[in-house]
Amino acid sequence: MRPYPATASPTRRGLWVLGLAIRTERKVFAGALVGSALYGGMTVGAAWAVGWATNHVVLPAFAAHHASAGLLVAGGLLIIGVAVAKVIGIFGRRLLAGVLQFRMQARYRRLVTAAYLRLPLAWHQQRPTGRLLSNANSDVEMAFMPISPMPMSLGVGVMLIIGIVDMLLTNSVLALVGILLLPAIIVTNTVYVRYSGPRFARAQELRAHVAEVAHESFDGALVVKTLGREAAETERFAERARALRDANISAGRARSLFNPILEALPNLGVLAVLLFGTQQVAAGHAQAGDVVNVAYLITLLAFPIESFGWVLGDLPRAVVGYERVAAVLAAEDRTAYGERKARRDGAPASLEFDRVDFAYPGADPGIEPMPVLRSLTASIEPGRTVALVGATGSGKSTIAALLARLSDPTGGAIRLDGTVLADYAKGEVSDAVALVPQQTFIFGDTVRANVALGADEIGDEAVWVALRTAQAEKFIKALPRGLDTVIGERGTTLSGGQRQRLALARALVRRPSLLVLDDCTSAVDPSVEAAILDGLREQGEDPDAARATVVVIAYRKATVALADEVLFLENGAIAARGTHEELLDRSAGYRELITAYAKAAEEAEQQEDAA
């Protein structure tokens, strides 16, 4: 994605990015270039038309004290024809240049989004969400910002060449006066690019920092409000915003310093031509129309040089944006896949943990990560409902993530139906295993869309079966439009328990062979939770109901008691195994933990009743 060396100049790297856009959209760029060339040629043609009209219409009319109707019509048609052709060139240039820019931005936004979906969860966990949003939005936008003025800059090069030739043919002496202006404009633009480039790059970097803080503030709004940290969070955001403001001001100062110089140089050239030209006209070495033509061309020739400066000035920001995007696209998905296919017969799966070890990668490479799971070994028979119970940090949610293959064990293996998860083909594990996580996410869409998630093969009957098993059928039917009811963003129009049941139905409708519930019924009434687990464990007196092996992470005593078997985790390993009653009798650690959870639940209920 980045073939140039790291030591390459910003201009060289930026030109490579522009070349990438040209190679990707050759036809669109060619059309924009033709339109720009037409615009440039007709702009010079306008100067020639004005000069011709001055020499052949205006001056003879003054000399003869009357104007020829034929010459007036010819002069008018000439100027109008040039103007019409110029308008066509402007329309083609701007339209196709915009199409080129927006196509490249859309293409790379799709590529970045596809990379986010492809990369494993561990990669996402090491990067702030605000930075990922910045990569897909402002970085892509900045990477291809110079694309829009680029066809114009190259096309008006035609105007520069034609203009210089026209000046030399009109009056070589006056032309040399005007041409001497071009080196001054080029040098000024070069200094401007070198001076402003780092400042614009710094501003682009800080945009990502502001996005990171803003996303954290919005996502953690509840925490900020409930803990009264509005002032501190506002100051944290304001600090980043002030840094971005200062960077933008610095870049703006650079632009405001050089823009007046670039604007003044053509005017100085015009004054020089007029002063020298009047002397030439008085001496009989030039015509007044020649002076007008050359002076007008000088004002026009400053524009091509300025347009090159616009492109070069945006290159540093384009390089920063593209390299940040390229880093995402070049990230490797280290998740290995095999060729095995998962069963599609709807039968529950067997599960086996074979000396599974796992440790999360540390933020500091020099510090060895603390292991979360240590030689965890267990087997679960098909169709069983097994509860994972353990204190905070014992590895329960880690096991849930490993079962859905959001991460891979650092040692040992997990087998589903006798096959190691890594040996399944891509997409097979997600078809066979459904995870309902602790944090329930609901899209701002209809109930049907939230359950089916765009799967065309899932009909309304299957959706209702899943809702029935998840004990959500009753409240969904009570909604104004049933399955067609639009739920607010993040499910704000539903209660916590309703959101959890809807998320459970989303998993059940896919008929997984292994269902993993990571404390996903904590907001549901105990009686409703019991009905859900009973429905899952019975596995379908209803022939269309989901049939799955169920692994549930739970804290409630009533929930754990409904499981066929309990695995008690301590320090990343299975400390005890058996039914709820058996573990109460022979495991002091399990008995102490369950009792503590039950006591905490009772105190919470008493506080709610008192309130």
Side-chain angles (χ1 to χ4, degrees):
M1 297 302 297
R2 191 174 56 185
Y4 47 77
T7 56
S9 66
T11 300
R12 178 183 171 187
R13 288 182 283 175
L15 291 176
W16 185 91
V17 176
L18 297 181
L20 173 66
I22 293 173
R23 293 189 299 271
T24 304
E25 297 288 347
R26 290 185 177 90
K27 294 182 179 179
V28 178
F29 174 77
L33 192 60
V34 169
S36 183
L38 178 61
Y39 160 75
M42 290 302 101
T43 301
V44 177
W48 173 81
V50 170
W52 184 90
T54 301
N55 289 329
H56 296 84
V57 180
V58 178
L59 293 179
F62 279 119
H65 300 289
H66 74 276
S68 169
L71 288 176
L72 285 174
V73 172
L77 290 177
L78 178 63
I79 294 174
I80 291 172
V82 170
V84 170
K86 184 178 177 180
V87 168
I88 295 173
I90 292 174
F91 180 78
R93 167 178 60 83
R94 291 187 175 180
L95 175 64
L96 294 178
V99 169
L100 174 61
Q101 178 183 0
F102 296 140
R103 277 190 179 181
M104 291 301 298
Q105 290 176 349
R107 177 189 298 272
Y108 274 80
R109 282 196 176 100
R110 288 192 295 266
L111 289 174
V112 170
T113 302
Y116 287 164
L117 297 175
R118 169 179 57 83
L119 292 167
L121 184 64
W123 184 89
H124 289 271
Q125 290 172 338
Q126 296 172 3
R127 289 159 179 81
T129 305
R131 182 185 303 175
L132 301 181
L133 291 173
S134 178
N135 291 150
N137 186 25
S138 63
D139 288 338
V140 171
E141 183 177 339
M142 286 297 103
F144 299 104
M145 185 65 71
I147 299 298
S148 182
M150 182 181 59
M152 179 182 67
S153 300
L154 296 179
V156 295
V158 175
M159 181 170 69
L160 182 63
I161 296 171
I162 296 176
I164 292 175
V165 172
D166 191 9
M167 284 195 300
L168 291 172
L169 293 176
T170 301
N171 189 301
S172 59
V173 177
L174 292 176
L176 290 175
V177 175
I179 292 174
L180 289 175
L181 178 68
L182 299 181
I185 297 177
I186 293 172
V187 170
T188 304
N189 266 304
T190 302
V191 174
Y192 167 65
V193 169
R194 292 183 178 178
Y195 181 76
S196 64
R199 288 163 174 77
F200 284 119
R202 172 63 176 165
Q204 181 63 18
E205 290 274 4
L206 288 173
R207 282 189 180 91
H209 296 168
V210 171
E212 292 173 12
V213 176
H215 181 271
E216 288 181 350
S217 299
F218 296 148
D219 220 29
L222 182 60
V223 175
V224 173
K225 285 286 187 182
T226 54
L227 297 181
R229 302 300 298 168
E230 294 93 335
E233 194 65 16
T234 300
E235 179 58 30
R236 189 167 76 100
F237 180 80
E239 182 180 352
R240 300 291 181 91
R242 284 193 292 267
L244 176 59
R245 176 203 62 192
D246 294 341
N248 284 329
I249 290 175
S250 178
R253 284 173 178 168
R255 187 183 293 273
S256 63
L257 176 64
F258 285 93
N259 276 354
I261 299 175
L262 293 173
E263 293 284 346
L265 286 175
N267 296 325
L268 294 176
V270 171
L271 288 175
V273 168
L274 292 177
L275 290 174
F276 188 74
T278 53
Q279 297 176 4
Q280 292 286 301
V281 172
H285 300 308
Q287 294 181 341
D290 297 339
V291 177
V292 172
N293 189 12
V294 173
Y296 183 52
L297 285 172
I298 289 175
T299 61
L300 295 180
L301 294 184
F303 178 68
I305 305 297
E306 288 181 6
S307 67
F308 289 129
W310 296 340
V311 175
L312 295 175
D314 282 337
L315 287 185
R317 286 188 291 179
V319 170
V320 172
Y322 179 78
E323 291 189 345
R324 288 165 64 89
V325 171
V328 174
L329 301 182
E332 297 181 2
D333 181 3
R334 295 182 175 85
T335 306
Y337 296 96
E339 298 180 354
R340 294 293 299 272
K341 299 290 185 180
R343 291 186 295 103
R344 295 290 193 275
D345 56 6
S350 64
L351 185 62
E352 180 183 0
F353 298 92
D354 185 5
R355 292 169 295 182
V356 173
D357 296 326
F358 184 80
Y360 288 101
D364 188 345
I367 300 178
E368 185 176 351
M370 183 71 69
V372 179
L373 300 178
R374 301 174 178 83
S375 297
L376 189 144
T377 301
S379 60
I380 299 174
E381 296 178 1
R384 301 276 284 176
T385 298
V386 176
L388 296 180
V389 178
T392 301
S394 60
K396 303 182 299 299
S397 293
T398 299
I399 292 175
L402 293 176
L403 290 176
R405 218 191 166 200
L406 299 178
S407 301
D408 282 331
T410 53
I414 299 177
R415 294 183 176 86
L416 185 72
D417 284 330
T419 301
V420 177
L421 292 182
D423 292 338
Y424 282 107
K426 190 172 184 178
E428 293 298 306
V429 173
S430 60
D431 287 342
V433 181
L435 169 64
V436 187
Q438 292 175 325
Q439 301 297 327
T440 301
F441 187 88
I442 302 297
F443 296 92
D445 207 332
T446 64
V447 174
R448 179 187 292 102
N450 267 281
V451 176
L453 290 183
D456 296 334
E457 68 275 10
I458 298 177
D460 285 0
E461 182 59 33
V463 171
W464 282 118
V465 169
L467 291 171
R468 189 179 309 123
T469 306
Q471 300 298 307
E473 180 184 26
K474 184 176 180 180
F475 80 81
I476 294 298
K477 286 185 175 180
L479 294 176
R481 300 181 61 188
L483 294 180
D484 294 316
T485 302
V486 177
I487 302 172
E489 185 179 1
R490 293 179 179 268
T492 53
T493 58
L494 302 178
S495 68
Q498 289 173 334
R499 290 195 296 270
Q500 288 185 339
R501 282 179 276 173
L502 194 60
L504 176 59
R506 178 191 295 163
L508 292 174
V509 78
R510 282 152 181 78
R511 300 177 60 84
S513 57
L514 175 63
L515 180 63
V516 184
L517 310 179
D518 186 4
D519 192 29
C520 66
T521 55
S522 57
V524 176
D525 294 338
S527 59
V528 175
E529 183 182 33
I532 292 173
L533 292 179
D534 282 341
L536 294 175
R537 192 169 57 174
E538 290 172 1
Q539 297 182 359
E541 295 172 358
D542 184 343
D544 294 324
R547 300 172 60 83
T549 301
V550 181
V551 175
V552 56
I553 297 171
Y555 299 92
R556 290 176 177 173
K557 184 176 180 180
T559 306
V560 175
L562 293 172
D564 298 320
E565 193 173 19
V566 178
L567 303 182
F568 176 50
L569 300 176
E570 276 187 330
N571 299 321
I574 296 177
R577 178 173 184 171
T579 65
H580 172 63
E581 291 77 10
E582 291 173 347
L583 293 186
L584 285 176
D585 291 337
R586 56 185 171 85
S587 175
Y590 176 80
R591 182 169 55 252
E592 181 180 353
L593 182 65
I594 287 295
T595 302
Y597 282 146
K599 183 177 180 180
E602 290 177 1
E603 292 177 353
E605 290 179 2
Q606 291 175 359
Q607 291 176 357
E608 290 180 1
D609 294 339

